Amino acid sequence: MIALKTIFAQIEYSMSEKDFIPAPYTTLKEEGTVTYSSPSNIALVKYWGKRENQIPANPSISFTLAACVTKTNVHYKKKVQNRDEFSFDLFFEGEAKEEFKPKINTFLKRIVAYLPFLKDYHFVINTSNSFPHSSGIASSASGMSALALCFMEMEKAFLDNITEDDFNRKVSFLSRLGSGSACRSIEGPLVQWGETASINGSSNLFGIKYPYSVHEVFKNFHDTILLVDKGEKQVSSTVGHELMHGHPFATQRFDQAHSNLEKLGKVLADGNLVDFISIVESEALTLHAMMMTSNPYFILMKPNTLSIINEIWRFREESNTHVCFTLDAGANVHVLYPENEKDIVFPFIKEKLVPFCQNGQYICDRIGLGAKKL
Ligand code: PMV
């Protein structure tokens, strides 16, 4: 059994881009509608730095979230002419959004080799987020994965048979081409992306559901997201990833991510929250340290980000709880804590941390199980 598992893992490991080019379609439906909801995710070991075609410079792992989701509905209708171009209308929360179209167009260009039907249809895409618009919550992971899911659902109808594993792998592969971290949003509760020796089946091309045992304590883990600053980021993730080329600490950072992932594997199995905290907080601060030491350097944290971190450290010490923080590429703080400590930690968050949020805004989220067809 173990030997067979290893063989399958090796097959996945050696998959290449061309394995995602489909067999000829058996039918092409004239018209139809698909709807998916797909969540955001929060990385525990961070992806920061990439090579061409969204290949990560280091492996990462994330908790899939439950409440922060994008819901996307795609209506498709076969075109009679103009088969050389993409054709779509885009509505965000009910309003036509011309400014979002170039990003979608780039995404379509990147994925058309793997979904050759894309130029045969006109699409009407309706999309909305469960979290407040411009809250500083990255919507690219949930947004790109929701759209990739809708397109894959179409392909599924055009092919004779596609297994659930093949479906998930290809959606993750396509989502990655929209936004790297989006490839970790399809399944849950934990998804790993990027080749690394300690995880069988890990791939640079797609995320995989974390394949090893996970301790009870991580069930229903909470992530209360504190919206510290909702403004536009001065430096985008795309530019930040780019700045890891020639970064003075790049090699050490990429090695550290492999080693942190290996250490985290042990923690996820034995449920040691003290070790969990030290890996997760160090990863968050290292991500920001990379930003502060790149050329040009930049800072995405705000004074209130640091005030919140200090309050968390003070409270953890005096309460003997296991609350900790992590950060995305922004000023907002993700406060992580286990289900069995929520009655102590949540009142602390409301009383001591929410005052640091812009307009007192925060989102109560928790670990989730992935995307859903609606
Ligand atoms: O998916 P991107 O290109 O927006 O990069 C996201 C990078 C981080 O959110 C900072 C880390 C991560 O692993 O999600």
Side-chain angles (χ1 to χ4, degrees):
M1 184 63 192
I2 290 170
L4 210 62
K5 248 185 162 170
T6 314
I7 293 166
F8 282 135
Q10 278 164 359
I11 292 170
E12 282 169 26
Y13 202 86
S14 59
M15 280 185 84
S16 77
E17 271 97 344
K18 65 177 184 337
D19 295 315
F20 292 97
I21 298 172
Y25 298 132
T26 43
T27 48
L28 279 188
K29 276 175 73 177
E30 275 303 312
E31 191 171 356
T33 303
V34 277
T35 309
Y36 263 92
S37 121
S38 190
S40 188
N41 65 72
I42 180 69
L44 304 173
V45 172
K46 309 288 180 182
Y47 146 62
W48 198 241
K50 62 178 167 185
R51 307 202 300 267
E52 229 189 320
N53 296 329
Q54 311 271 88
I55 296 298
N58 67 260
S60 57
I61 189 166
S62 49
F63 275 156
T64 304
L65 296 180
C68 287
V69 299
T70 297
K71 189 173 141 186
T72 297
N73 167 285
V74 174
H75 178 80
Y76 56 94
K77 188 167 184 187
K78 223 156 160 201
K79 288 194 281 192
V80 268
Q81 51 193 21
N82 263 345
R83 293 250 178 79
D84 300 330
E85 282 168 33
F86 299 116
S87 164
F88 65 96
D89 299 317
L90 182 72
F91 297 88
F92 178 70
E93 281 160 16
E95 277 177 38
K97 282 278 175 196
E98 285 304 308
E99 63 269 37
F100 289 179
K101 282 178 119 178
K103 205 169 174 191
I104 303 298
N105 217 51
T106 306
F107 181 45
L108 294 172
K109 273 194 211 148
R110 288 185 190 162
I111 63 174
V112 68
Y114 311 104
L115 297 175
F117 64 83
L118 287 175
K119 285 185 177 164
D120 293 329
Y121 287 90
H122 175 74
F123 301 105
V124 179
I125 305 169
N126 268 287
T127 185
S128 59
N129 291 337
S130 64
F131 43 94
H133 182 44
S134 59
S135 56
I137 303 278
S139 57
S140 57
S142 53
M144 286 299 175
S145 54
L147 189 55
L149 280 153
C150 290
F151 290 143
M152 251 328 270
E153 191 64 28
M154 285 180 68
E155 177 162 87
K156 191 172 152 188
F158 305 159
L159 288 169
D160 267 346
N161 48 30
I162 175 162
T163 65
E164 195 183 331
D165 278 353
D166 286 344
F167 181 93
N168 285 340
R169 206 177 289 129
K170 183 160 175 184
V171 177
S172 176
F173 170 85
L174 298 170
S175 305
R176 186 195 101 244
L177 295 170
S179 165
S181 58
C183 79
R184 298 189 312 239
S185 279
I186 313 304
E187 294 177 272
L190 277 148
V191 177
Q192 191 277 329
W193 168 43
E195 274 178 32
T196 191
S198 64
I199 299 184
N200 264 337
S202 59
S203 169
N204 283 338
L205 300 181
F206 47 84
I208 55 167
K209 191 171 156 161
Y210 182 67
Y212 304 117
S213 71
V214 177
H215 192 275
E216 277 281 303
V217 77
F218 297 107
K219 275 211 182 111
N220 237 351
F221 222 72
H222 290 256
D223 177 5
T224 303
I225 309 167
L226 304 177
L227 307 180
V228 171
D229 186 72
K230 305 192 289 166
E232 182 90 355
K233 281 188 276 186
Q234 302 108 309
V235 180
S236 69
S237 289
T238 311
V239 172
H241 286 295
E242 198 54 42
L243 291 173
M244 287 306 284
H245 289 289
H247 191 290
F249 306 134
T251 311
Q252 295 92 322
R253 162 59 198 152
F254 301 149
D255 288 349
Q256 181 200 39
H258 285 271
S259 123
N260 276 345
L261 200 52
E262 194 174 347
K263 287 186 200 153
L264 191 67
K266 187 171 175 302
V267 168
L268 291 172
D270 67 20
N272 183 332
L273 289 179
V274 173
D275 290 349
F276 176 80
I277 291 168
S278 84
I279 297 167
V280 168
E281 291 191 344
S282 164
E283 275 289 320
L285 294 178
T286 303
L287 169 70
H288 285 258
M290 290 300 109
M291 300 171 190
M292 290 191 249
T293 49
S294 61
N295 182 13
Y297 46 79
F298 59 103
I299 301 180
L300 295 184
M301 290 187 285
K302 297 283 179 196
N304 281 356
T305 311
L306 295 179
S307 299
I308 289 171
I309 292 174
N310 279 307
E311 278 295 319
I312 290 174
W313 285 344
R314 193 191 51 74
F315 176 77
R316 188 164 71 218
E317 178 91 27
E318 77 185 28
S319 65
N320 251 319
T321 55
H322 299 90
V323 56
C324 72
F325 71 87
T326 187
L327 307 166
D328 249 339
N332 296 333
V333 183
H334 289 248
V335 186
L336 305 177
Y337 48 101
E339 167 77 13
N340 62 6
E341 293 182 2
K342 70 170 193 290
D343 294 340
I344 311 171
V345 175
F346 189 60
F348 151 73
I349 294 176
K350 279 219 303 219
E351 190 193 338
K352 299 283 189 212
L353 305 185
V354 171
F356 292 111
C357 297
Q358 202 170 2
N359 306 323
Q361 277 191 291
Y362 62 96
I363 298 168
C364 289
D365 212 333
R366 58 177 67 196
I367 197 163
L369 293 177
K372 289 190 202 110
K373 187 177 166 197
L374 302 177

Coordinates of all heavy atoms in Angstrom, one line a residue, residues 41-48 50 54 60-62 138 140-141 179-182 184 193 233 237-238 241 287 291 327-329, ligand 1:
N41 N -7.4 32.2 1.4 CA -6.6 31.4 2.3 C -5.5 32.2 3.0 O -5.2 33.3 2.5 CB -5.9 30.2 1.5 CG -4.9 30.7 0.4 OD1 -3.8 31.1 0.8 ND2 -5.3 30.6 -0.8
I42 N -5.0 31.7 4.1 CA -4.0 32.4 4.8 C -2.7 31.5 5.0 O -2.9 30.4 5.5 CB -4.5 33.0 6.1 CG1 -3.3 33.8 6.8 CG2 -5.1 32.0 7.1 CD1 -2.9 35.1 6.1
A43 N -1.6 32.0 4.4 CA -0.4 31.1 4.5 C 0.2 31.1 5.8 O 0.3 32.1 6.6 CB 0.6 31.7 3.4
L44 N 0.7 29.9 6.2 CA 1.4 29.7 7.5 C 2.9 29.8 7.2 O 3.7 30.4 7.9 CB 1.0 28.4 8.1 CG -0.5 28.1 8.4 CD1 -0.7 26.7 8.8 CD2 -1.0 29.1 9.4
V45 N 3.3 29.1 6.1 CA 4.6 29.3 5.5 C 4.4 30.0 4.2 O 3.6 29.6 3.4 CB 5.4 27.9 5.3 CG1 6.7 28.1 4.5 CG2 5.6 27.2 6.6
K46 N 5.1 31.2 4.1 CA 4.7 32.1 3.0 C 5.4 31.9 1.7 O 6.6 31.6 1.7 CB 5.1 33.6 3.5 CG 4.6 34.0 4.8 CD 3.1 34.2 4.8 CE 2.5 34.6 6.2 NZ 1.1 34.7 6.2
Y47 N 4.7 32.1 0.6 CA 5.2 32.2 -0.7 C 5.6 33.6 -1.0 O 4.8 34.5 -0.9 CB 4.1 31.7 -1.7 CG 4.0 32.3 -3.0 CD1 5.1 32.1 -4.0 CD2 2.9 32.9 -3.5 CE1 5.0 32.6 -5.3 CE2 2.7 33.4 -4.7 CZ 3.8 33.3 -5.6 OH 3.7 33.8 -6.9
W48 N 6.9 33.8 -1.3 CA 7.3 35.2 -1.6 C 8.5 35.1 -2.5 O 9.6 34.7 -2.1 CB 7.7 36.0 -0.3 CG 7.7 37.5 -0.5 CD1 8.8 38.3 -0.3 CD2 6.6 38.3 -0.9 NE1 8.5 39.6 -0.6 CE2 7.1 39.6 -1.0 CE3 5.3 38.1 -1.3 CZ2 6.3 40.7 -1.3 CZ3 4.5 39.2 -1.6 CH2 5.0 40.5 -1.6
K50 N 9.1 34.5 -7.1 CA 8.6 33.5 -8.1 C 9.5 33.5 -9.3 O 10.2 34.5 -9.6 CB 7.2 33.7 -8.4 CG 6.8 35.0 -9.1 CD 5.4 35.1 -9.4 CE 4.9 36.5 -9.8 NZ 3.5 36.6 -10.0
Q54 N 4.6 31.9 -12.9 CA 4.1 31.7 -11.6 C 4.6 30.4 -10.9 O 3.8 29.7 -10.3 CB 2.5 31.6 -11.6 CG 1.9 32.7 -12.4 CD 1.6 33.9 -11.5 OE1 2.4 34.8 -11.4 NE2 0.4 33.9 -10.9
S60 N 5.0 26.6 0.1 CA 4.2 27.3 1.1 C 3.1 26.4 1.5 O 2.8 25.3 0.8 CB 3.6 28.6 0.5 OG 2.9 28.3 -0.7
I61 N 2.4 26.7 2.6 CA 1.2 26.0 3.0 C 0.3 27.0 3.7 O 0.7 28.0 4.3 CB 1.7 24.9 4.1 CG1 0.5 24.0 4.4 CG2 2.2 25.5 5.3 CD1 0.9 22.7 5.1
S62 N -1.0 26.7 3.5 CA -2.0 27.6 4.0 C -3.2 26.9 4.6 O -3.5 25.8 4.3 CB -2.5 28.6 3.0 OG -2.9 27.9 1.8
A138 N -6.9 40.3 0.4 CA -6.5 40.0 -1.0 C -7.7 39.2 -1.6 O -8.1 38.1 -1.1 CB -5.3 39.1 -1.0
S140 N -7.6 38.3 -4.8 CA -7.1 37.6 -6.0 C -7.2 36.1 -5.8 O -7.5 35.3 -6.8 CB -5.8 38.0 -6.4 OG -4.9 37.9 -5.4
A141 N -6.9 35.6 -4.6 CA -6.9 34.1 -4.4 C -8.3 33.6 -4.6 O -8.6 32.6 -5.4 CB -6.4 33.7 -3.0
S179 N -3.3 33.9 -10.1 CA -2.6 34.5 -9.0 C -2.0 33.3 -8.2 O -2.7 32.4 -7.8 CB -3.6 35.2 -8.1 OG -3.1 35.5 -6.8
G180 N -0.7 33.3 -7.9 CA 0.0 32.2 -7.3 C -0.8 31.5 -6.2 O -1.1 30.4 -6.2
S181 N -1.1 32.4 -5.2 CA -1.7 31.8 -3.9 C -3.1 31.3 -4.2 O -3.6 30.5 -3.4 CB -1.7 32.8 -2.8 OG -2.4 34.0 -3.2
A182 N -3.7 31.6 -5.3 CA -5.1 31.2 -5.6 C -5.1 29.6 -5.8 O -6.1 29.0 -5.5 CB -5.6 31.8 -6.9
R184 N -4.1 27.6 -3.8 CA -4.3 27.0 -2.5 C -5.7 27.1 -2.0 O -5.9 26.9 -0.8 CB -3.3 27.5 -1.5 CG -1.8 27.3 -1.8 CD -0.9 27.7 -0.6 NE -1.3 29.0 -0.2 CZ -0.6 30.1 -0.1 NH1 0.7 30.0 -0.4 NH2 -1.1 31.3 0.3
W193 N 1.7 24.0 -1.5 CA 2.1 24.2 -2.9 C 3.6 24.4 -3.0 O 4.1 25.2 -2.2 CB 1.3 25.5 -3.4 CG 1.8 26.0 -4.7 CD1 2.1 25.3 -5.8 CD2 2.0 27.4 -5.0 NE1 2.5 26.2 -6.8 CE2 2.4 27.5 -6.3 CE3 1.8 28.6 -4.3 CZ2 2.7 28.7 -7.0 CZ3 2.1 29.8 -4.9 CH2 2.5 29.9 -6.2
K233 N -2.4 49.3 -1.4 CA -1.0 49.1 -1.0 C -0.1 49.9 -1.9 O -0.3 50.0 -3.1 CB -0.7 47.6 -1.2 CG -1.2 46.7 -0.1 CD -0.7 45.3 -0.3 CE -1.5 44.5 -1.3 NZ -1.1 43.1 -1.4
S237 N 1.8 42.9 -4.7 CA 2.5 41.6 -4.5 C 3.4 41.3 -5.7 O 4.5 40.7 -5.6 CB 1.5 40.5 -4.4 OG 0.8 40.6 -3.2
T238 N 2.9 41.6 -6.9 CA 3.7 41.3 -8.2 C 5.1 41.9 -8.1 O 6.1 41.3 -8.3 CB 2.9 41.9 -9.4 OG1 1.6 41.4 -9.3 CG2 3.5 41.4 -10.7
H241 N 7.2 40.2 -5.3 CA 7.8 38.9 -5.7 C 9.0 39.2 -6.6 O 10.0 38.6 -6.4 CB 6.8 38.1 -6.6 CG 5.7 37.5 -5.8 ND1 5.9 36.5 -4.9 CD2 4.3 37.7 -5.8 CE1 4.7 36.1 -4.3 NE2 3.8 36.8 -4.9
L287 N 8.5 37.5 6.1 CA 7.9 38.0 4.9 C 8.1 39.5 4.8 O 8.6 40.1 3.8 CB 6.4 37.7 4.8 CG 5.6 38.3 3.8 CD1 5.9 37.8 2.4 CD2 4.1 38.1 4.1
M291 N 10.6 42.4 2.6 CA 10.2 43.7 2.0 C 11.1 44.8 2.5 O 11.5 45.7 1.7 CB 8.7 44.0 2.4 CG 7.8 42.9 1.9 SD 6.1 43.3 2.7 CE 5.3 41.7 2.2
L327 N 0.6 37.6 9.0 CA 0.3 38.8 8.2 C 0.4 38.4 6.7 O 1.1 37.4 6.4 CB 1.5 39.8 8.4 CG 1.7 40.3 9.8 CD1 3.1 41.0 9.9 CD2 0.6 41.2 10.3
D328 N -0.4 39.1 5.9 CA -0.3 38.9 4.5 C 0.6 40.0 4.0 O 1.2 40.7 4.8 CB -1.7 39.1 3.9 CG -2.2 37.8 3.3 OD1 -1.4 36.9 3.1 OD2 -3.4 37.6 3.2
A329 N 0.6 40.2 2.7 CA 1.4 41.4 2.1 C 0.5 42.6 2.3 O 0.0 43.2 1.4 CB 1.7 41.1 0.7
Ligands
PMV1 O1 -0.7 35.2 -4.9 P1 0.1 36.4 -4.8 O2 0.9 36.6 -6.0 O3 -0.8 37.7 -4.5 O4 1.1 36.4 -3.6 C1 0.7 36.2 -2.3 C2 1.8 36.2 -1.3 C3 1.5 36.2 0.2 O5 0.1 36.4 0.4 C4 2.2 37.4 0.8 C5 1.9 35.0 0.8 C6 1.2 33.7 0.5 O6 1.8 32.7 0.5 O7 -0.1 33.8 0.4

